Amino acid sequence: MKLILAPMEGVVDFKMRELLTDLGGFDLCVTEFVRVVDLTLPRRVFVRYCPELLNGGFTRAGTPVRIQLLGQVPHVLATNARKAVKLGSHGIDLNFGCPAKTVNKSKGGAVLLKEPEQIYQIIKSVREAVPEEHVVSAKIRLGFDDDANSTEIVDAVQSAGASSLAIHARTKRDGYRPPAYWEKIPPLLKRLSIPVVANGEIWQVEDALRCQQQSQCEDLMLGRGALATPDLAAKIKAHVSNRIYRPLSWQEVVYHILNSSMHQDENVSEKYFSARTKQWLGYLKLQYPEAHCLFEEIKRLKTKSDVVTVLQKYAKSPSLDSNHNI
């Protein structure tokens, strides 16, 4: 069983990848999408999205990171993909699932689900440009307005030469509204000989097990569930391995927010850490009742020093081993 940390724009950045992989359980991270229009991007852009390139493409805990590209021009995506793997990305992921209106208006992300032939041309160009030893994966949804052409989409992905496929078991129209339709994945698996990863609505260990059963996929991708329960991947891996696992306490979660060093980033505004902490608490509220109280305590605070002072009252350091795992 492999667990992959999903790409989430504006949320799962370098600091968050570092923190979540420190807690263990993840086998791979995929970056926020790098928007490609008509140019080969300079090295600094790839490093900005993926600072792990400066560490051989690995997080601090040793988890490999794969750069995700989003765009619609096959040859431009191909040249950027080739550059990304030369810089150290562990393969290339192609985004055909982003539902954001601004992205779709510029013919990127999920809107391409309407055009399986374009998906084919993009993947084929990237596959031909990237050395064979590097994975070229794709992330899709079941369709745009509905899943009527889902078989055509997956056929395009496979025939273009993709190494693997992640399926977010909803359409673009579904957005992020529950449920995820895991049961719609098995008919697509019958058409595929490449590995498939199931994604969507995995919040608890029980969800992961049900997703595996209903989707018939062994490998899973975790997104919002990992933000709500930062050690979710570790909990899942412990369960399937029949290992005893002690979940993070609330005080330890607060410690990890501080330990993320988001408040030490001098390249962002003074209000950044406050905004990011409030954003994260929005997810943590789903699993930790204490997050409601903490949010109320800091919701009017704007400076990082003020927020850090409050967090320090509640933080408790866990015992970490040399790999930063609990």
Side-chain angles (χ1 to χ4, degrees):
M1 178 192 208
K2 293 181 180 178
L3 295 179
I4 302 170
L5 179 57
M8 296 179 66
E9 185 190 11
V11 182
V12 182
D13 58 7
F14 166 66
K15 299 285 187 181
M16 188 64 75
R17 291 193 297 270
E18 184 173 77
L19 187 157
L20 293 176
T21 57
D22 275 353
L23 297 175
F26 283 108
D27 299 284
L28 175 71
C29 300
V30 181
T31 70
E32 302 168 272
F33 67 74
V34 179
R35 185 75 167 98
V36 174
V37 182
D38 55 3
L39 298 173
T40 302
L41 299 170
R43 176 180 180 275
R44 68 177 182 277
V45 172
F46 290 107
V47 172
R48 184 172 76 241
Y49 280 91
C50 186
E52 294 96 340
L53 294 175
L54 303 176
N55 187 43
F58 294 95
T59 67
R60 178 171 62 188
T63 306
V65 182
R66 182 175 301 158
I67 287 177
Q68 184 182 78
L69 301 180
L70 180 148
Q72 70 276 3
V73 183
H75 74 274
V76 179
L77 284 162
T79 56
N80 279 278
R82 184 164 53 240
K83 185 166 186 175
V85 296
K86 284 183 178 179
L87 290 171
S89 175
H90 291 262
I92 292 295
D93 190 64
L94 296 166
N95 183 320
F96 302 111
C98 179
K101 290 182 179 179
T102 53
V103 170
N104 291 174
K105 282 182 180 178
S106 57
K107 204 176 179 183
V111 73
L112 290 170
L113 297 170
K114 296 180 178 181
E115 302 180 40
E117 175 60 26
Q118 186 69 4
I119 290 176
Y120 171 85
Q121 293 298 337
I122 288 170
I123 296 174
K124 183 173 184 290
S125 293
V126 171
R127 179 68 278 176
E128 291 174 350
V130 171
E132 187 176 350
E133 64 269 22
H134 292 283
V135 167
V136 173
S137 57
K139 187 169 189 288
I140 66 169
R141 286 173 174 257
L142 293 171
F144 193 81
D145 291 319
D146 54 45
D147 62 353
N149 69 337
S150 59
T151 56
E152 190 178 353
I153 293 167
V154 299
D155 286 350
V157 170
Q158 176 160 277
S159 60
S163 312
S164 64
L165 173 64
I167 301 178
H168 184 151
R170 285 184 273 234
T171 64
K172 186 273 179 187
R173 179 177 293 234
D174 293 330
Y176 295 98
R177 296 187 302 275
Y181 300 97
W182 302 323
E183 71 279 3
K184 293 190 176 183
I185 295 179
L188 303 177
L189 294 181
K190 295 177 181 178
R191 311 177 68 88
L192 298 169
S193 58
I194 59 176
V196 176
V197 180
N199 174 226
E201 291 301 308
I202 301 172
W203 298 92
Q204 304 279 2
V205 172
E206 294 75 19
D207 296 329
L209 300 178
R210 287 192 301 109
C211 180
Q212 280 189 310
Q213 180 183 32
Q214 293 181 28
S215 70
Q216 297 180 17
C217 294
E218 182 177 5
D219 301 335
L220 306 176
M221 179 174 278
L222 309 180
R224 293 174 299 158
L227 297 174
T229 306
D231 59 339
L232 178 59
K235 291 171 70 173
I236 293 170
K237 284 288 184 71
H239 180 86
V240 299
S241 302
N242 292 315
R243 289 186 286 107
I244 296 174
Y245 180 78
R246 181 182 64 80
L248 284 178
S249 69
W250 170 244
Q251 292 78 14
E252 290 168 344
V253 170
V254 177
Y255 167 84
H256 282 294
I257 294 176
L258 283 170
N259 196 49
S260 70
S261 301
M262 285 189 287
H263 58 292
Q264 296 175 1
D265 193 337
E266 302 303 326
N267 297 316
V268 295
S269 71
E270 172 67 21
K271 296 179 181 179
Y272 173 79
F273 180 66
S274 172
R276 283 300 304 273
T277 303
K278 293 170 189 175
Q279 177 193 51
W280 197 6
L281 287 172
Y283 291 101
L284 291 169
K285 286 177 185 179
L286 300 173
Q287 300 297 335
Y288 293 92
E290 300 94 330
H292 290 272
C293 298
L294 181 54
F295 180 83
E296 288 299 314
E297 194 166 347
I298 70 167
K299 69 179 180 181
R300 292 183 177 83
L301 302 180
K302 296 183 179 179
T303 68
K304 59 186 177 184
S305 58
D306 287 344
V307 174
V308 166
T309 297
V310 174
L311 295 181
Q312 287 173 336
K313 293 192 302 182
Y314 302 103
K316 177 184 176 183
S317 174
S319 298
L320 301 177
D321 63 21
S322 59
N323 293 317
H324 301 275
N325 296 318
I326 295 175

